[in-house]
């Protein structure tokens, strides 16, 4: 898929947050109705900006927005800077917001590091404070193919807000947005609800009809040693090898590959590797996509997604089908680490590590002739893997 047309974003640099993504179940104006409101004074609407420690934020930029009705555009009514006490006084009267949805945005700190977006409660004059918290960096992956031209024409934004995403290849980036609940719109259609917690960086797939492409390369649920591609194209399945004095405990000779498959009951089966490494030794896991001389064009790939858990450092590689020498192949390679909790790992073509002496090349050099998927594990004692998905492709 080709890249999208760049959208103007109200946002700049980034700080981070945590995100929970749930399937969308209807368009709503629930995004951003978080704590914080304003009150009426004799001169209009007054707002006091505080940080997370309840200290006033002088010079915070506070903007009052209005959205006449669901489905209509949101527009700014007034913008002002807070005084030394964090106070902002708007001329807009509270009755102007009683029959229309009004929102308050607060921005402060270098690169908008503190933000808030909240709905104004026109009937509650007791709440006149807004709390600015660390802003969120949100990346929305579409799962579109790298060559898909429809991405160029798409627009992604957060409903009932002024926040538009900047296109970056097959994904959209909100450099920084306030914490809160939002509905993600793609071309004015709701595609997901998201919950953004202050202070985390989010990178998530949002499935967009007629755009998202995914191929589940391996989920281990069938309990055998063959990757899912083998259902349509014969191959030899998974293999595992220790190098330079390393050793495997699982899989082992007695139980084979199937003995390393565990079932947690909730997500089905996953692969549990256990091993011993030291100094320069390492273990590897790999599988050919086809037979020895087979290869596939994966130039449309936009990301590799997989769930991992463990205590090790490792590298994931997509390798060219043709051997260079001594069982070495040119490869696009990405480094990663596994922690104690299940984590979704996202690896992007164009972000690979280059090292010619170790046969690590740019993705574009080999992407149309990929023959092998490999994982090289350099330290630690265990690595658990599940849901290896190729984004940007639907089949081979």
């Amino acid at each position: 898929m080709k890249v999208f047309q760049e959208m103007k974003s109200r946002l700049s640099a980034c700080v981070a947050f945590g995100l929970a993504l749930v399937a969308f179940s209807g368009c709503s104006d629930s995004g951003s109705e978080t704590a914080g409101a304003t009150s009426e004074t004799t001169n209009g609407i007054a707002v006091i900006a505080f940080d997370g420690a309840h200290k006033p934020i002088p010079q915070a930029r506070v903007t009052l927005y209005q959205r006449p009705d669901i489905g209509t555009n949101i527009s700014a009514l007034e913008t002002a800077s807070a005084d030394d006490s964090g106070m902002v006084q708007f001329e807009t009267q509270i009755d102007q917001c009683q029959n229309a949805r009004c929102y308050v945005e607060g921005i402060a700190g270098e690169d908008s590091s503190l933000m808030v977006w909240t709905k104004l409660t026109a009937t509650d004059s007791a709440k006149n404070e807004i709390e600015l918290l660390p802003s969120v960096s949100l990346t929305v992956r579409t799962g579109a193919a790298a060559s898909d031209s429809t991405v160029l024409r798409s627009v992604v934004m957060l409903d009932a807000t002024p926040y538009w995403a900047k296109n970056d290849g097959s994904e959209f980036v909100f450099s920084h947005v306030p914490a809160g609940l939002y509905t993600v719109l793609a071309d004015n259609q709701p595609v997901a609800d998201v919950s953004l917690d202050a202070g985390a960086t989010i990178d998530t797939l949002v499935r967009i009809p007629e755009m998202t492409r995914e191929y589940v390369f391996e989920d281990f649920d069938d309990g055998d040693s063959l990757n899912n591609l083998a259902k349509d194209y014969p191959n030899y399945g998974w293999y595992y090898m220790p190098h330079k004095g390393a050793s495997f405990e699982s899989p082992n000779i007695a139980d084979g590959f199937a003995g390393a498959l565990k079932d947690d009951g909730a997500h089905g089966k996953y692969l549990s590797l256990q091993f011993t490494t030291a100094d320069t030794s390492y273990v590897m896991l790999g599988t050919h996509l086809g037979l020895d001389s087979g290869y596939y064009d994966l130039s449309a790939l936009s990301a590799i997604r997989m769930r991992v858990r463990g205590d090790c450092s490792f590298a994931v590689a997509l390798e060219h089908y043709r051997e260079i020498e001594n069982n070495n192949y040119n490869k696009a390679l990405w480094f990663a680490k596994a922690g104690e909790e299940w984590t979704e790992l996202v690896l992007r073509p164009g972000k690979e590590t280059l090292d010619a002496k170790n046969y690590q090349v740019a993705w574009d050099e080999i992407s149309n002739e990929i023959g092998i998927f490999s994982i090289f594990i350099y330290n630690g004692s265990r690595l658990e893997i599940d849901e290896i998905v190729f984004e940007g492709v639907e089949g081979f």
Side-chain angles (χ1 to χ4, degrees):
M1 300 183 180
K2 302 285 184 188
V3 295
F4 293 72
Q5 181 179 7
E6 176 172 322
M7 296 302 306
K8 289 185 178 179
S9 175
R10 294 184 31 73
L11 320 172
S12 54
C14 114
V15 194
F17 291 45
L19 166 153
L21 175 65
V22 296
F24 176 74
S25 60
C27 182
S28 73
D29 197 34
S30 61
S32 325
E33 295 191 24
T34 53
T38 63
S39 68
E40 181 182 10
T41 71
T42 56
N43 296 318
I45 297 173
V47 178
I48 305 176
F50 289 95
D51 62 16
H54 205 69
K55 295 181 180 180
I57 308 178
Q59 303 305 310
R61 188 171 77 251
V62 182
T63 302
L64 180 65
Y65 285 86
Q66 187 178 68
R67 188 189 195 199
D69 204 352
I70 294 176
T72 59
N73 293 330
I74 195 163
S75 59
L77 296 178
E78 289 186 66
T79 298
S81 295
D83 62 19
D84 290 344
S85 66
M87 172 73 76
V88 168
Q89 184 76 53
F90 292 121
E91 294 182 1
T92 301
Q93 298 296 310
I94 196 70
D95 57 7
Q96 292 181 240
C97 292
Q98 289 177 339
N99 296 318
R101 291 167 175 81
C102 287
Y103 300 85
V104 177
E105 175 192 62
I107 299 177
E110 185 177 356
D111 293 330
S112 302
S113 59
L114 297 176
M115 297 183 73
V116 68
W117 175 261
T118 183
K119 191 172 183 178
L120 184 151
T121 306
T123 59
D124 188 352
S125 60
K127 297 178 180 179
N128 61 354
E129 301 175 358
I130 58 173
E131 183 181 35
L132 279 65
L133 298 174
S135 57
V136 184
S137 172
L138 171 62
T139 297
V140 173
R141 303 193 315 277
T142 64
S147 57
D148 194 336
S149 61
T150 61
V151 177
L152 290 170
R153 302 187 295 271
S154 294
V155 176
V156 172
M157 66 175 296
L158 302 182
D159 188 29
T161 77
Y163 305 125
W164 301 72
K166 178 180 179 181
N167 169 250
D168 184 10
S170 62
E171 58 198 38
F172 293 90
V173 177
F174 296 89
S175 297
H176 55 267
V177 291
L181 303 174
Y182 301 95
T183 294
V184 178
L185 301 182
D187 298 328
N188 288 322
Q189 297 300 311
V191 291
D193 287 341
V194 296
S195 176
L196 306 181
D197 297 330
T201 298
I202 308 308
D203 184 344
T204 189
L205 177 71
V206 171
R207 293 172 176 84
I208 299 177
E210 300 183 2
M211 184 181 297
T212 300
R213 307 281 186 269
E214 292 181 281
Y215 181 80
V216 181
F217 180 64
E218 181 62 277
D219 54 13
F220 304 106
D221 287 340
D222 54 17
D224 62 26
S225 63
L226 299 176
N227 61 59
N228 288 340
L229 193 58
K231 294 179 175 64
D232 299 306
Y233 303 99
N235 62 57
Y236 303 115
W238 291 98
Y239 53 84
Y240 46 97
M241 299 188 305
H243 292 268
K244 299 182 179 181
S247 62
F248 268 105
E249 299 171 20
S250 175
N252 56 42
I253 295 176
D255 300 325
F257 188 84
L261 299 179
K262 309 299 181 182
D263 195 332
D264 67 2
H267 295 94
K269 292 185 174 64
Y270 62 91
L271 177 64
S272 180
L273 303 175
Q274 299 180 41
F275 43 83
T276 300
T277 60
D279 299 327
T280 60
S281 66
Y282 66 95
V283 297
M284 72 166 295
L285 172 75
T287 180
H288 285 257
L289 273 62
L291 300 177
D292 288 343
S293 59
Y295 62 85
Y296 296 87
D297 184 350
L298 293 186
S299 56
L301 185 74
S302 57
I304 303 170
R305 183 177 84 244
M306 55 195 295
R307 296 174 67 238
V308 298
R309 181 173 65 178
D311 64 358
C312 63
S313 299
F314 61 98
V316 177
L318 285 172
E319 305 188 64
H320 194 257
Y321 78 97
R322 186 182 299 116
E323 182 179 6
I324 303 298
E325 58 181 355
N326 301 324
N327 202 32
N328 287 307
Y329 301 80
N330 281 336
K331 59 181 66 62
L333 184 140
W334 299 265
F335 285 103
K337 289 185 178 182
E340 291 302 313
E341 301 295 330
W342 281 109
T343 302
E344 184 178 82
L345 179 66
V346 180
L347 309 171
R348 291 176 171 77
K351 305 294 185 180
E352 58 276 1
T353 301
L354 304 182
D355 185 356
K357 68 179 183 297
N358 287 315
Y359 309 97
Q360 297 166 214
V361 301
W363 170 249
D364 289 344
E365 293 184 28
I366 61 171
S367 62
N368 62 339
E369 294 181 336
I370 298 299
I372 306 170
F373 177 90
S374 301
I375 299 178
F376 303 90
I377 308 166
Y378 298 102
N379 57 33
S381 62
R382 65 185 180 90
L383 178 63
E384 296 171 340
I385 305 168
D386 198 8
E387 294 291 336
I388 303 172
V389 180
F390 294 162
E391 295 181 11
V393 297
E394 286 183 311
F396 290 76

